[in-house]
Amino acid sequence: MLNEMDDSPELQNDGKDGDDDGLFDVEDQQKARTDSVDLSSDTSLVVDISDALSERDKVKFTVHTKCKGRTNILDTLTTLPEFSESDFSVTRDHDEFLWLHTMYDENEDYAGVIIPPPPPKPDFDASREKLQKLGEGEGTMTKEEFQKMKAELEAEYLATFKKTVAMHEVFLQRLAAHPTLRTDHNFRVFLEYKQALDVRGRNKKEKFGSLVKLVTKSVDEVLVTGQKDVDPFFERERTFVVEYHNKVKDSTARSDRMTRSNKQIADTYIRVSSGLNALATLEKSDLDNAEAIPESARFFIKVSEMFEKLRKVEARVATDADLKLSDLLRYYMRDTAAAKDLLYRRMRSLVNYQNANKALEKARAKNKEVQQAEKNQEEACNKFEKLSEVAKQELTDYKTRRVAAFKKNLVELAELEVKHAKTQVQLLRNTIATLKEETP
Amino acid sequence: MADEREPPPLFENEDSSEKSPLEEKTVEADQEVNLNDDANDDLFSDPPLLETSPAEDKPEAEDEDESSPAAEESGGGGGILDDVEVQEEPPKKEEKKEEKKEEEPEKMDEEEEEEMESGDTFDVDITVSDPQKVGDGMGAYMKYTVVSKTSDPSFKSSEMTVSRRFSDFLGLHQKLVAFHTTKGHIVPPVPEKSVVGMTKVKMGKGQEENNSLEFVEKRRASLERFLNRSAAHPKIRANTDFKEFLEKDEPLPKASNTAALSGAGMMRAFNKVMDSASKVVSKMDESDQWFEEKTQHIDNLDQQLKKLHTSVENMVNHRRELSNATAVFAKSCAMLGNAEEHTALSRAISQLAETEENIEQLQSSQAATDFYVLSELLKDYIGLIAAVREAFREREKTFHNWQTAQTNLAKKREQEAKLKSTGKTEKLPQVEQEIKDWQERVEKGQREFEAISKTIRREVNRFETNRVQDFRSVIIKYLESLMEKQQKLIQYWEAFLPEAKAIA
């Protein structure tokens, strides 16, 4: 289905033929999309989603992996899992992605790492609803109007589809790029195992269980975050991350609303254009001389055509704002949440460490099981310190990532807005000039 | 005075002293055509002027204030017929006029055309401003300042300022409709009485609420358009009630029968129902192709305009939504900028917030333009079309009258024949008199019908020309505003771009 993207070059073609294969197609768009994250240039393990199918309720992704064959210990700098082939694909659905994320999240070894946020569930409900409403309202509009709106909705549906593909892809690509995470066994299974992973969607009990876990976690969080951190760096980070997360979440929601409104305006232009066309038809019919199109009719036709063109540009404006702004904010909302999780885990670990200390003191005081307590304490200490070290690096990376992504997207947003506004000005200017010319 | 008076006879112009200086002026030949229509009314005492007036016309470039003195005469002729108190002079004139009509019907049409194009250059420019709430609670009302500037010497002065309340406008409209529509003129629409809207204003604390402010502004603009359109119609401009409305310094007597919940209001509603019932019953046989086509055309136009109006209203609403959403986003963005720890990024995000704020201003002003320029124009035309329909209906009524008179005449003739055959001659003179009466009525009916038909044709043509021009100029204006908005958008985003690039 992705191949259908080629059919709507108008909508997509920014001229950004990234891989210079002469076509602005799937691959370029993927590159254009996965811009919220700047990935490392290490190409020893390359993952992408080469295809996707929408089957009733589910979307099936074709995950395609390329790796530098059998690892030669002398050649590679990083330890890659040993893949049996160098180029292979498997089919995965959304639940399997979630499973992968959970595996990472629950793995203590990665406690110090910011786990890339899982992709959101593919949601076509909004599009479906709109399509349904359109079908119901078919009687109230002309055939052309209906066709146009239908085409718009289909384009929207397609865009949503592509977005979800991109989100899933970015998730995998970040994992593949991360030196620690890429070595995970589960990751390898996910990429390689030909058959479906036995990961059913969580049943009610599990969902409830996870809900309970969430509640206890947030209660915990509150308790834990109440504690002052020993390290000023982390203290600062915590304050920042928590507040930032809130703000970003808010901004994301608002931005979404804004782009949605913008899209709606573009859609109403269709109706206006069609109404003007109808007026033009009336002018034509009310004339003795049926051959020459009266000037008044031409007038309306021109304006009607202009609105049609205008709406295409407006729709692009809305889409671009959605991509560059809303999606950016959304992604960093999730990433920040992941960072928050990291800090929480660290606090947990700190508390454990402090508890172990206390236990040790108590044991020493009572002179009972001192060795055990000492071992525990040492373990807790090591864990904590290792975690902190990794965390520091992760947080710094997160910052750099964020700043770079914002810069890139904001610049692109501004450039696109200017471009579209210029197009509109041009269009309007030409139309006005033509209309004024015809003044008798 | 205003309430009880019947619509003044069209030849008021003769009667009122105001007119005489006007007539003198017209003799000074270089005058513009407009004056001539008044002079032309008693033209038949001075036939030569009829010929010279068209000659005086220098076809001027489009002037929306068209008038056609030659056509005005026939309108005047039609108008006269309303007065059953037949004055000696008018009938003579009308006959003369009709002769002329028969002699040179085509020439008249051409002249009409010419004169319509050349138009008159007497402008009347009216502004309605400064809405003020007077009084409190349920008895409160809005008053407006009406300033009229004109070069038309038939007015008291070239610049007049008066204070009028909303019911005054409604009363004026009522009078104009009563007087003019029966002649087939198209009277511009006036905003409706809105119980909901006004209650908000009455109950609201002065100028604070946005909703009531908007409502008042919408109404003010609508009243202004009503007055200007009326002034552009040469016949309406000459109407004494209209003039009085613009000129009279004192408050006008309260037009009590415009109150929403009054006895008169009920009567009007009742009459409306009766009218529409009779419309269904007496569908006239349309022999005139032109009218048949036009009716169809008007109906179609009405439909399309209503649809377009709905679409534009949707557009306005969405734009308002967008403007709100953008404002909210801008605030949220500003907070995000504050929370951001990276200095350059923080600055950039704050810049973005500012940019979005500016954009929001643009959007809300665009929404206002959408509304006031485009949406209200469409609404006005829907109202005008309703007025056109009214004129058509009047014509049907006239036709009906004529037919009824014919039927009665035939009956009386029958009666006469019967009496003659049975030899009962006592009642004969009476019946013969009645026959004469009915004959006159038939002739009158026919004349009226033809007059109104002619007037309507002229009015509709004028309407169509105006419509096209109106739409054209409004749409161009609207497009220009759109373009301006986009240009400002470019400015804002281009200002933001270096900030974004500066993020290190």
Side-chain angles (χ1 to χ4, degrees), chain A residues 131-334:
Chain A
L131 206 57
Q132 198 176 11
K133 256 198 214 150
L134 182 66
E136 281 165 16
E138 186 176 351
T140 63
M141 50 184 108
T142 67
K143 209 163 134 221
E144 287 137 7
E145 262 179 23
F146 181 72
Q147 294 294 4
K148 282 200 192 127
M149 299 212 75
K150 191 152 159 261
E152 262 307 306
L153 274 182
E154 281 169 357
E156 248 180 62
Y157 184 91
L158 197 59
T160 316
F161 188 79
K162 280 187 286 188
K163 250 208 246 185
T164 189
V165 168
M167 297 274 157
H168 284 74
E169 198 180 58
V170 164
F171 172 64
L172 293 179
Q173 285 174 337
R174 263 186 77 181
L175 291 172
H178 195 285
T180 319
L181 297 178
R182 78 207 310 214
T183 61
D184 186 78
H185 173 73
N186 287 318
F187 190 46
R188 181 182 159 191
V189 168
F190 180 92
L191 290 177
E192 214 183 13
Y193 190 60
K194 290 294 176 185
Q195 290 164 24
L197 305 171
D198 187 20
V199 172
R200 46 180 174 55
R202 294 132 124 213
N203 62 20
K204 276 211 189 99
K205 193 165 118 203
E206 283 171 347
K207 280 201 182 137
F208 183 68
S210 74
L211 197 66
V212 171
K213 231 177 27 173
L214 207 68
V215 171
T216 42
K217 179 171 163 206
S218 22
V219 169
D220 241 351
E221 253 180 18
V222 171
L223 291 174
V224 158
T225 50
Q227 301 213 320
K228 186 117 177 48
D229 200 316
V230 292
D231 188 338
F233 171 78
F234 282 102
E235 183 60 29
R236 225 179 22 245
E237 283 307 305
R238 194 168 39 128
T239 331
F240 167 70
V241 168
V242 167
E243 204 199 325
Y244 194 74
H245 180 248
N246 281 339
K247 299 293 187 302
V248 164
K249 197 157 132 190
D250 195 54
S251 294
T252 310
R254 312 275 181 226
S255 177
D256 270 343
R257 203 178 129 206
M258 195 171 73
T259 50
R260 223 185 0 252
S261 276
N262 212 348
K263 187 76 199 338
Q264 277 176 326
I265 291 185
D267 284 342
T268 53
Y269 279 5
I270 297 181
R271 298 280 203 139
V272 172
S273 165
S274 146
L276 287 169
N277 222 342
L279 278 182
T281 317
L282 271 186
E283 300 286 327
K284 275 195 265 190
S285 62
D286 179 49
L287 203 63
D288 313 316
N289 180 2
E291 284 137 16
I293 301 177
E295 182 233 311
S296 49
R298 263 183 289 140
F299 177 84
F300 283 118
I301 291 178
K302 280 226 175 60
V303 182
S304 159
E305 281 171 359
M306 184 214 74
F307 263 101
E308 176 58 25
K309 291 193 191 129
L310 216 57
R311 84 145 172 114
K312 291 219 171 99
V313 182
E314 275 292 329
R316 282 308 300 282
V317 171
T319 323
D320 286 341
D322 187 36
L323 269 185
K324 301 293 171 193
L325 198 52
S326 299
D327 278 356
L328 170 75
L329 292 170
R330 203 189 332 271
Y331 191 80
Y332 277 93
M333 173 180 81
R334 296 209 188 97

Side-chain angles (χ1 to χ4, degrees), chain B residues 2 18 144 147 172 196 264 275 290 296 306 331 345:
Chain B
E18 286 174 37
Y144 304 86
V147 178
L172 174 65
V196 175
D275 269 350
W290 188 91
Q296 189 64 21
K306 285 194 171 129
K331 289 203 188 87
L345 182 56

Side-chain angles (χ1 to χ4, degrees), chain A residues 251 254 295 399 402 436, chain B residues 328 332 340-341 472 480:
Chain A
S251 294
R254 312 275 181 226
E295 182 233 311
K399 259 196 271 266
R402 189 182 74 238
K436 278 189 171 161
Chain B
V328 166
S332 169
E340 175 61 62
E341 53 174 13
R472 163 193 230 99
E480 284 176 343

Side-chain angles (χ1 to χ4, degrees), chain B residues 137-153:
Chain B
M138 282 311 287
Y141 61 88
M142 295 299 295
K143 74 172 169 61
Y144 304 86
T145 310
V146 179
V147 178
S148 323
K149 300 204 181 93
T150 177
S151 49
D152 184 341

